[in-house]
Amino acid sequence: MKLAELGEFSFIDRLARQVPPASGVVTGIGDDCAVTGMTSGTVTLTTTDMLLEGIHFDLSFTDPHRLGRKSLAVNLSDVAAMGGVPRFALLSLALPASMEVEFLDCFMAGFLDQARQFDVALIGGDTCASAGGFVISVTVMGEGVPGKVVRRRGARPGDAIYVTGTLGDSALGLEQLRRGVRQGEGVNRHLDPLPRVREGAFLAASAGISAMIDISDGLLADLGHILDQSVVGGVVELNRLPLSPELQQVVAAGGDDPYALPLAGGEDYELLFTAPLSSATVIHEVMRLFGTKVTAIGEIASQPGLTVKGGDGAIYPLKRRGYDHFSPCIVRVKG
Ligand code: ADP
Ligand code: MG
């Protein structure tokens, strides 16, 4: 069945029936507004992200279930990057009338699956017809402890720079998908990223970290945001970058910019953060508590600018920093 036959209101009715009751939700889908309450004494963190067919995803290799999961994951990652706990989500969709209802059902199943995994309630949204492609807009509200929300500013000279997980896998996965590969660790990382929600909340609450961001545009681009906002510089060491076995092979294969994927590949959705050396012991608890690797990859410096050093101490020439929507495939290196 096509969406045109089902109609907007039947879709919303079906959707509302799939959403379980949740704490903090007084009124969910079905009225003019959702009515919610946050835990008393918390501050509210709000974030929104759009995903456009042809820009953010390619339906020739993206299945609807993982697209639904990813649409929510990228927003959860933003809440995680400030140390918040996500609570409520709004989902707005522009849908081509020719879309198959089954496709949309799979998309919603993926979205609600991710929501359940992170205890997030879908409380509303908007649905309209699209004259072009499929457009997804998600807004997430989360809560944080006042004074414990971690911002991009706050990095200090002498702080270590850390990253969770491994780098460059999602960008490798995207390259593989474009070449026709449909399986593998990188492909899965690209289509179904895991937001580091519990890690982010723990680091903010307990580890005395000074700045944090999630890696959506690439390590160097996102580290650049921390450095700019903190008015500091930084040094990253190539031989400390956490690389999966697949990425180690890519790097070993060489080429004119062997570290392009881990340095500038986007959409890893790992957490990048800085902290004084006194925080190191607590930071490494993340491995024991959540099974997530945390690696120190460099150091904050007082001199502005971002330097990447090879194992021999030589400076690695930066060809590109990451993704910029208005100049894709940028070769610009700032500062
Ligand atoms: P209104 O015309 O007052 O904006 P709508 O008909 O757009 O109301 O929406 C009716 C209800 O369905 C609202 O509670 C809205 O939040 C919810 N809703 C609409 N589209 C979605 C969606 N894609 N996901 C979740 N909830 C939705
Ligand atoms: Mg509406």
Side-chain angles (χ1 to χ4, degrees), residues 8-9 11-12 15 28-32 91 93 122 124-127:
E8 176 190 342
F9 299 107
F11 164 68
I12 294 172
L15 177 57
I29 295 173
D31 218 310
D32 294 310
L91 169 64
L93 300 170
L122 177 62
D126 199 20
T127 305

Side-chain angles (χ1 to χ4, degrees), residues 19 38 58 92 96 148 158 165 211 229 232 248 250 253 264 277 291 304 322 331:
V19 175
M38 292 284 182
D58 181 335
S92 294
K148 292 273 188 179
Q229 293 211 17
V232 290
Q248 288 173 23
V250 170
L277 299 180
V331 284

Side-chain angles (χ1 to χ4, degrees), residues 224-235:
H225 295 313
I226 288 187
L227 301 184
D228 290 347
Q229 293 211 17
S230 302
V231 200
V232 290
V235 180

Side-chain angles (χ1 to χ4, degrees), residues 107-224:
F107 172 85
M108 284 312 313
F111 187 96
L112 292 173
D113 191 45
Q114 188 78 285
R116 199 175 319 112
Q117 209 162 322
F118 287 97
D119 253 328
V120 170
L122 177 62
I123 58 168
D126 199 20
T127 305
C128 59
S130 169
F134 183 18
V135 178
I136 306 158
S137 169
V138 179
T139 300
V140 167
M141 282 175 285
E143 56 191 34
V145 178
K148 292 273 188 179
V149 171
V150 185
R151 303 182 61 186
R152 294 177 179 185
R153 62 184 65 177
R156 297 269 164 74
D159 283 359
I161 303 169
Y162 293 91
V163 68
T164 59
T166 56
L167 296 171
D169 300 280
S170 175
L172 177 64
L174 178 59
E175 278 187 1
Q176 292 171 331
L177 283 161
R178 286 181 172 150
R179 285 202 309 265
V181 179
R182 292 291 176 265
Q183 264 159 19
E185 180 56 24
V187 164
N188 201 47
R189 283 283 302 271
H190 182 75
L191 296 177
D192 191 13
L194 179 66
R196 301 295 193 183
V197 173
R198 294 175 182 100
E199 295 86 341
F202 169 80
L203 289 165
S206 314
I209 64 176
S210 50
M212 185 154 62
I213 192 168
D214 65 322
I215 302 181
S216 53
D217 296 332
L219 171 68
L220 298 182
D222 290 316
L223 179 56

